[in-house]
Structures are given as structure tokens and as C-alpha cells.
Amino acid sequence: MKKFLSVLMAAAMLLSVCALTACGGKEEPAPETEGTEVTEPAEEGTLTTVTEGVLTMSTNAAFPPYEMTNDAGEYEGIDVEIAQAIADKLGLELQIDDMDFDAALMAAQNGKSDMVMAGVTVNDERLAVMDFSESYATGVQVIIVKEGSDVTLDNLGEQMIGTQRGTTGNIYCTDDYGEEHVTAYDNGITAVQALMNGQVDCVVIDKAPAQAFVEANAGLTILDTEYVTENYAIGFAKGNTALVEAVNAALAELTEDGTIQTILDKYIAAE
């Protein structure tokens, strides 16, 4: 009898526990019916940034007129203003992280920054590890020499060429003339200083910064013959499709309303 009563009590307790579980758990199916509603915010939330509410841009702020610092230590230049305009379009705060050019590329590639803008040219090597926006500006690689120099495009392979490490100018010169004829520096300023000091015979770099360097350093000039023409774009981590599409949409609007051209004209005089 005791055994029977024990069984009855155990059964009653089990029913009681089950009833309690049912009260808390039977209402759980609601998330399953709401599951389709959860997917919509997830899709809207695919546009994410390294820091919420912030668009982080890695750059090398020694590449005038695309990015540089003024006397107050503030960032300015073509890329800086275009990045700010994009951030405004996306409703984000712009943060600029200044570093070596190679590091700036790697930061975006590894998702440490949202994007890289530093006069970046799209090539096959970079396309293999990064995604890019539509082009927003055209760049030309030129050759800086000392006034009176006998360096020409035809005898460039006989010279010691200074370049900025990681840039397409460095890649092109190394491919065309071999590493023994190319010295890479951390930035264009250092490369130009090496030219002034006689450590290299010329410097291959983008035309806009080349003009700024020549204007700031007496005794230098740019050869009339252009070395390479290329297009600049914004680099992102591979597969960050939502951000690429959002930035492309912003670039399209900024191009259509004339903002991009106004920024370019502000820093690069028409020829």
C-alpha cells in the first residue's frame, strides 16, 4: 500500500512538474512562429562596421593631395573629404587611422578597418585578397628627377629608382627593372628626400603628390613622359558585400551631384 501511495505521489509530482514545464515551455513555440520576423532585421543589419556607428578608414597620410596632415595635425585631402562625404551619406562618424601604406592595406584586408583610402589602385594581386569600390579618381605614375638630370623613361632601367613601399609604382618598377634597381621607402616624402640626398636617381610616384613634392622642394622636376595611368578605388575586406554596395551607392550619388568633382578640383588644378 505504501508502495502504491508512493507511486501515486510520484505520479502526481510528475504531472505537476509537467504542468509547470508546459506553462513555461508550451509558450516557447512562439519564437518559432516569429522566426521569419527575426530574419528581416538580420538582413538590415548586414551592413556592419568595425565599431558600431563609425566608419573606420585606414590610410597613409603622407600622400598629398589625397591624404596629409595640416599644421594643426588635422587630416585633409581628396580621400579624406570623399570619405567624410561617404560617412555622412551612410549616417556614420568617420574615423581615420594613419599608418604605413602596406599596413593600411592589411588593416582593411583583415577587417581591422572598414576600408582603405590612400590613392589605392586596383590590380590583380589586390583583387585576390580584397574587394573594391567603383573608381572615384584617375592616377598617373610619373618620374621625379633633379633638374638637369639625364634620367629618361628610356634609360630608367639603368637608374636606381625610389618608390613608396607597397604602391603600384613600386610593383611596376620592380616588375619592369628588377629589385636591384628599386629602393622602397615607407612614404613618398622619404623617397623624395632620398632623391634630394643623391641616394636614388629618380622617384616614381603618382602625379598629384609628385607635383606637391616638386613644389615644396626646389631643384626637382617631373619628366614629361608618363609612366603608367591607373584608377583609384576604395578597398575592403574580401566578402564585405553590404559595405561595398553601400559605399558604391554613396559614391554614385556624390558623383551625380558633383561633390566628387568639386573635391578633386579643390586639390588638383585643371591643366
Side-chain angles (χ1 to χ4, degrees), residues 60-215:
N60 176 228
F63 194 67
Y66 286 90
E67 38 269 316
M68 59 266 191
T69 54
N70 59 25
D71 293 338
E74 300 165 331
Y75 298 114
E76 60 182 16
I78 294 171
D79 286 346
V80 174
E81 292 202 21
I82 291 177
Q84 184 62 67
I86 291 170
D88 291 343
K89 285 282 186 185
L90 300 182
L92 300 170
E93 176 189 347
L94 178 65
Q95 174 180 312
I96 299 175
D97 292 342
D98 182 25
M99 58 194 77
D100 289 344
F101 183 77
D102 273 349
L105 291 174
M106 290 298 295
Q109 180 182 326
N110 296 331
K112 302 297 184 183
S113 70
D114 297 306
M115 63 185 192
V116 54
M117 292 183 73
V120 180
T121 304
V122 183
N123 58 25
D124 291 340
E125 181 181 346
R126 291 172 183 164
L127 279 170
V129 294
M130 300 176 69
D131 286 339
F132 286 91
S133 71
E134 297 295 331
S135 175
Y136 62 90
T138 299
V140 177
Q141 295 286 323
V142 298
I143 305 165
I144 305 175
V145 297
K146 288 184 176 180
E147 291 179 348
S149 169
D150 60 359
V151 175
T152 66
L153 184 60
D154 291 335
N155 67 17
L156 198 59
E158 302 169 14
Q159 315 299 328
M160 179 55 71
I161 307 165
T163 65
Q164 182 176 346
R165 183 174 289 106
T167 62
T168 49
N170 177 256
I171 295 169
Y172 295 145
C173 290
T174 301
D175 287 347
D176 290 346
Y177 308 113
E179 293 184 0
E180 65 275 15
H181 286 284
V182 181
T183 301
Y185 297 91
D186 288 339
N187 53 57
I189 295 172
T190 309
V192 170
Q193 288 174 341
L195 172 61
M196 298 280 290
N197 295 334
Q199 296 167 284
V200 294
D201 301 307
C202 59
V203 170
V204 172
I205 198 166
D206 298 66
K207 186 174 184 177
Q211 291 172 326
F213 292 141
V214 168
E215 184 178 343

Side-chain angles (χ1 to χ4, degrees), residues 25-37:
K26 281 290 184 181
E27 292 179 359
E28 301 279 39
E32 295 181 11
T33 59
E34 295 172 0
T36 54
E37 297 177 8

